[in-house]
Amino acid sequence: MNQKLSSGMADYIPAWAGGLPADAPPRQGTPEYDKFMQERERKRQIPAAERDDAKPAATTQDAPH
């Protein structure tokens, strides 16, 4: 019983106190995890140039001197 309680309580500890960050993926074995993995696979198959999160490569002119 304590093992189930402790694994669930860990989800409610704030990140500043050592808990999970806000962008942590859902726990494995949940419906949210399955949706997360499907979306991740879909994004993986999109070419990097077409992704929303694609960032332009830094040039030497952008670097501080």
Side-chain angles (χ1 to χ4, degrees), residues 14-46:
W16 61 264
L20 292 173
D23 61 348
R27 291 200 182 268
Q28 191 171 7
T30 63
E32 293 83 12
Y33 179 80
D34 295 337
K35 291 176 188 175
F36 172 79
M37 292 305 289
Q38 288 173 351
E39 181 64 15
R40 185 173 174 185
E41 179 64 19
R42 184 190 68 78
K43 286 183 179 179
R44 188 185 68 79
Q45 294 178 358
I46 298 173

